[in-house]
Amino acid sequence: MKRLGQHILVEFSDCDRDLLNDLASIESILTEAARQARATIVDTVFHHYNPHGLSGVVVIAESHISIHTWPEYGYAAADVFTCGDQVDPWKACKYLKDKLRCGNMSTREIPRGIPGHKDEVLPHKPLDDQMTSGQLA
Amino acid sequence: MKRLGQHILVEFSDCDRDLLNDLASIESILTEAARQARATIVDTVFHHYNPHGLSGVVVIAESHISIHTWPEYGYAAADVFTCGDQVDPWKACKYLKDKLRCGNMSTREIPRGIPGHKDEVLPHKPLDDQMTSGQLA
């Protein structure tokens, strides 16, 4: 694979159930998790569902961090997708585990990039002079 | 695992490079992909990077669909995370492959939910009477 990034899927179980239903707290925790990973926050979107549960996504220049919560199960599904070597996605995972008062964190890390037989790492943000818009076509 | 949903990670390579850098087109394609899957769109966020590439997320009541594009490589990384049996995430994947004029789609489907020895499927949206807010604590 021509690798561009890593995608960590995280199951947070045995969490604080009230917290998983608290939109302001989850928004604060997820954006701070992005900062802990040294990611560059681009935009955020959060939504609370009726009667409970919420979704949140922090778009970062290095991809995204998302969370979906099921307070009724004390469970949250998160994913931390990062590119480049300037960020540490595991810092975001550890921060989330701590702040969600999570009793059980399970993670799977999946490499992302262009499938192929030869393994290499592609630069996430090529320099401008490597490409001009005219070369896109 | 007490399964709540499925998370499909998709590598789209050999795509139309100009299209991968066209914010309006990608926004239209990603939101229509959510509709094709019969998902309920909650919110969207899209961002174009300088000098090229973009990120987009469609938050759906059933979780999210995201895309991050590298026009310089003709590549886009997407993920389609859905819960419940009312949506068909594969319809979103197939729609995206077609619309991105993608020559090579590679997918990995990962079950999401609460880790455990016993396999079962949990309801995504429990009925209101299964829980009151007082039971969250």
Side-chain angles (χ1 to χ4, degrees), chain A residues 1 4 7 9-11 13 16-18 21 42-47 49-53 55-57 59-64 66 68 70-79 81 83 104 106 108 110-115 122-128 130-131 133 135-137, chain B residues 1 4 7 9-11 13 16-18 21 42-47 49-53 55-57 59-64 66 68 70-79 81 83 104 106 108 110-115 122-128 130-131 133 135-137:
Chain A
M1 169 179 273
L4 270 162
H7 205 151
L9 308 188
V10 197
E11 322 299 336
S13 44
D16 182 309
R17 294 178 177 220
D18 283 329
N21 207 34
V42 168
D43 207 341
T44 66
V45 54
F46 286 87
H47 182 80
Y49 298 102
N50 182 28
H52 46 255
S55 287
V57 183
V59 177
I60 55 180
E62 302 83 5
S63 291
H64 73 257
S66 83
H68 304 281
W70 284 260
E72 66 272 35
Y73 300 135
Y75 165 77
D79 68 319
F81 180 12
C83 298
N104 185 18
S106 170
R108 284 168 288 187
I110 295 131
R112 302 296 306 264
I114 302 167
L122 292 180
H124 168 47
K125 294 288 178 193
L127 297 173
D128 287 21
Q130 288 183 265
M131 195 199 75
S133 59
Q135 289 175 289
L136 281 176
Chain B
M1 170 178 272
L4 270 161
H7 204 151
L9 308 189
V10 197
E11 323 300 336
S13 45
D16 183 308
R17 293 177 178 222
D18 284 329
N21 207 33
V42 168
D43 208 341
T44 65
V45 54
F46 286 87
H47 182 81
Y49 298 103
N50 181 28
H52 47 254
S55 287
V57 183
V59 178
I60 55 179
E62 302 82 6
S63 291
H64 73 255
S66 84
H68 305 280
W70 284 260
E72 66 273 35
Y73 300 135
Y75 165 77
D79 69 320
F81 180 11
C83 298
N104 186 16
S106 169
R108 284 168 287 186
I110 294 132
R112 301 297 306 265
I114 302 167
L122 293 179
H124 168 46
K125 294 287 179 194
L127 297 173
D128 286 21
Q130 288 184 266
M131 197 198 74
S133 60
Q135 289 175 290
L136 281 176

Side-chain angles (χ1 to χ4, degrees), chain A residues 5-135:
Chain A
Q6 61 257 51
H7 205 151
I8 304 174
L9 308 188
V10 197
E11 322 299 336
F12 291 109
S13 44
D14 301 325
C15 298
D16 182 309
R17 294 178 177 220
D18 283 329
L19 188 61
L20 294 185
N21 207 34
D22 180 339
L23 190 69
S25 293
I26 294 296
E27 182 164 357
S28 168
I29 289 169
L30 205 69
T31 51
E32 180 58 28
R35 289 187 201 102
Q36 292 282 324
R38 303 185 68 84
T40 302
I41 296 171
V42 168
D43 207 341
T44 66
V45 54
F46 286 87
H47 182 80
H48 187 268
Y49 298 102
N50 182 28
H52 46 255
L54 54 88
S55 287
V57 183
V58 178
V59 177
I60 55 180
E62 302 83 5
S63 291
H64 73 257
I65 302 178
S66 83
I67 194 166
H68 304 281
T69 77
W70 284 260
E72 66 272 35
Y73 300 135
Y75 165 77
D79 68 319
V80 181
F81 180 12
T82 60
C83 298
D85 53 9
Q86 302 301 305
V87 292
D88 182 349
W90 290 104
K91 286 191 177 170
C93 296
K94 286 167 189 162
Y95 180 83
L96 288 170
K97 177 179 188 294
D98 181 40
K99 292 298 174 182
L100 297 175
R101 298 172 204 136
C102 166
N104 185 18
M105 177 176 82
S106 170
T107 63
R108 284 168 288 187
E109 181 175 353
I110 295 131
R112 302 296 306 264
I114 302 167
H117 296 298
K118 189 180 165 192
D119 284 335
E120 61 180 304
V121 175
L122 292 180
H124 168 47
K125 294 288 178 193
L127 297 173
D128 287 21
D129 62 4
Q130 288 183 265
M131 195 199 75
T132 67
S133 59
Q135 289 175 289

